[in-house]
Amino acid sequence: MSATENPTSQNPLPPVVDADTWRRELDALRVREKAATRELDAIAAQRRRLPMVELPEYTLVGADGPVRLAEIFDGHPQLIVYNHMWSDGNEWQCPGCTGFTSQFTRLDVLERYYDARFVIVTNGPIDEALAYRERVGNRMAWYSSADSSFGSDMDAGPDEGFGVNVFLRDGDSVYRTWHTNGRGTERLSHVHGLVDLLPYGRQEEWENSPEGWPQHGTYDRGMGSKEVAALYGAPHGASHGSLQGAGS
């Protein structure tokens, strides 16, 4: 009998089998998992061989004022930029971007062992961006491209969404080497990786799940920006300054 047929169970459950059957099923799945790992290795190898394009000189704004893009590398040759969605004046910004970037709290390993840096760039004004960074407890360095075409040129302009861009620096010359957006950013998220291991998965309606599995609308659940702030930000998610705009 499967546990889904157990009248004492309050939740849909996978079938219950003996240990040998479970091991055979796991071994069969492992073949596919290993094949996917090898394919991801091959994709990474192709990514390392991508050509690149030289960029013009951009000036962004950081906590200490204007800064050239080449200086954002902070002496490292490699840079990853998360382009954060932004609506000027809103107290709470994109919950997806806010939740995604809240995962990154220990990035010293990139600088120490891989000679790279990971920062956030948003199209919002720097004072609002830094206040929001504090409000939601973000630990990454933030920069503003509000006075630059950088966001638009990197496929993440105002009202265009989010993205990840990777750059390589050779002296003062900066090159764009890779870009992704949408679900292409998921492989950077340890939360998605962990949730995909769970029996019920993400519980979103697009997933291919067994009949009766809990499911909901794709954007119906997950932490909003206020919840991120309550967990990680300033006390009780309090806002700073006079930023009281609408938004969620």
Side-chain angles (χ1 to χ4, degrees), residues 5-71:
E5 300 167 351
N6 187 342
T8 65
S9 175
Q10 300 299 311
N11 300 303
L13 300 173
V16 176
V17 297
D18 61 82
D20 288 342
T21 300
W22 175 82
R23 180 65 64 180
R24 286 195 301 271
E25 294 286 345
L26 179 64
D27 289 344
L29 176 62
R30 185 76 76 241
V31 172
R32 298 187 66 184
E33 290 175 338
K34 291 294 186 181
T37 297
R38 289 190 290 271
E39 177 62 13
L40 289 173
D41 288 342
I43 291 170
Q46 182 177 350
R47 188 182 297 117
R48 290 190 293 271
R49 289 166 173 79
L50 278 176
M52 59 187 184
V53 60
E54 185 170 5
L55 299 180
E57 185 170 296
Y58 291 99
T59 297
L60 307 183
V61 182
D64 298 322
V67 56
R68 293 184 303 117
L69 179 59
E71 295 173 317

Side-chain angles (χ1 to χ4, degrees), residues 134-156:
E134 181 179 357
R135 185 177 306 124
V136 299
N138 194 281
R139 298 295 179 261
M140 301 169 72
W142 284 56
Y143 297 89
S144 169
S145 59
D147 300 322
S148 166
S149 64
F150 179 80
S152 296
D153 294 346
M154 298 301 113
D155 301 297

Side-chain angles (χ1 to χ4, degrees), residues 44 124 130 148 194 222 242:
L130 293 178
S148 166
L194 292 172
S242 59

Side-chain angles (χ1 to χ4, degrees), residues 169-184:
R169 181 181 63 85
D170 182 23
D172 285 335
S173 297
V174 175
Y175 303 88
R176 189 186 191 192
T177 66
W178 187 74
H179 165 263
T180 194
N181 54 22
R183 292 194 65 196

Side-chain angles (χ1 to χ4, degrees), residues 182-246:
R183 292 194 65 196
T185 65
E186 284 186 2
R187 291 206 62 241
L188 307 179
S189 168
H190 67 256
V191 171
H192 283 113
L194 292 172
V195 171
D196 284 343
L197 299 178
L198 300 175
Y200 295 147
R202 304 184 194 188
Q203 302 179 39
E204 296 181 353
E205 58 190 2
W206 61 268
E207 288 184 297
N208 182 355
S209 295
E211 185 71 25
W213 247 228
Q215 288 185 313
H216 53 74
T218 301
Y219 300 109
D220 288 352
R221 293 189 184 177
M223 282 202 303
S225 301
K226 293 181 181 179
E227 288 77 17
V228 172
L231 283 174
Y232 307 120
H236 310 298
S239 61
H240 298 267
S242 59
L243 305 178
Q244 298 294 333

